[in-house]
Amino acid sequence: MSKENSHLRSILETVGVVLGSFIFAMVVIVTVTTGNSPEATLVVENKIVEEKATEADVKPVAEVKVAEVAAGETAGSGSISGEQITQKNCALCHAGGLMNSPKIGDKDQWAPRIAQGKEMLVNNAINGIRTMPAKGGNPSLSDAEVAAAVVWMANSSGGNL
Ligand code: HEC
């Protein structure tokens, strides 16, 4: 065997080893990534089971909350809706006594106003008085809604309307 021949053979051998390991690596990669191995299938199935479980866990809680809200809105239209109307339309000023408005819960500030009587208070809230805007600035409120808010506010501040 000539010197060149053996040199050529060693080159071919090297190429063969490199090619061989390359093909082997490709086969491994393809097998793993196509997800045909049993481990991969198992992981996917577990994930689906987990997702179904969390869905089932969350659903009843959400339903209970909806039921609670529905009950709260229908139960006793008096005090509860008066409170809700107040929170939405009046608390902006009356919660903190903004613009010198009588603060909800402050009996001293409310006593002389409550002393005017319910009718006068409600009228003043509906029509506005000095810096107090008519209906608290929300004309879409009905007179009855404003009255409910007045009753709730006054009764939360030492009154008994
Ligand atoms: C922009 C601020 C503001 C909002 C919003 C507001 N008020 Fe007032 N309110 C006042 C101020 C200021 C006074 C005090 C007016 C005065 O006596 O000079 C007042 C006074 C009142 C009084 C006492 C009236 C009286 O005869 O002494 C009632 C009752 C009242 N508000 C009800 C309400 C109701 C009900 C709402 C919501 C529907 C509301 N207010 C929203 C500012 C506000």
Side-chain angles (χ1 to χ4, degrees):
M1 200 181 282
S2 71
K3 208 176 166 197
E4 282 91 314
N5 266 351
S6 83
H7 186 65
L8 189 71
R9 211 174 78 184
S10 81
I11 287 176
L12 282 178
E13 265 172 12
T14 313
V15 169
V17 168
V18 169
L19 263 184
S21 41
F22 181 72
I23 289 168
F24 177 76
M26 283 303 283
V27 169
V28 169
I29 289 168
V30 167
T31 316
V32 169
T33 53
T34 48
N36 283 334
S37 68
E39 287 92 334
T41 321
L42 212 77
V43 168
V44 170
E45 272 170 8
N46 268 350
K47 225 182 155 193
I48 291 168
V49 170
E50 259 171 39
E51 273 165 14
K52 278 192 180 150
T54 36
E55 222 175 80
D57 285 346
V58 164
K59 226 178 163 195
V61 176
E63 273 164 11
V64 166
K65 286 216 170 125
V66 169
E68 268 172 14
V69 169
E73 273 171 359
T74 46
S77 57
S79 59
I80 290 175
S81 66
E83 177 175 6
Q84 286 171 343
I85 293 162
T86 303
Q87 297 303 351
K88 276 193 196 147
N89 303 282
C90 324
L92 173 70
C93 294
H94 286 275
L98 202 75
M99 293 162 61
N100 280 329
S101 58
K103 195 171 161 181
I104 298 167
D106 190 320
K107 293 178 187 176
D108 291 344
Q109 284 181 15
W110 275 93
R113 297 182 186 268
I114 290 167
Q116 303 176 99
K118 180 178 169 180
E119 206 183 324
M120 178 70 106
L121 274 184
V122 170
N123 270 341
N124 288 343
I126 290 171
N127 301 315
I129 174 172
R130 292 177 286 266
T131 45
M132 155 81 196
K135 294 186 173 180
N138 182 359
S140 72
L141 286 175
S142 71
D143 289 0
E145 285 171 323
V146 175
V150 171
V151 167
W152 183 82
M153 263 201 246
N155 289 352
S156 305
S157 316
N160 188 21
L161 301 187

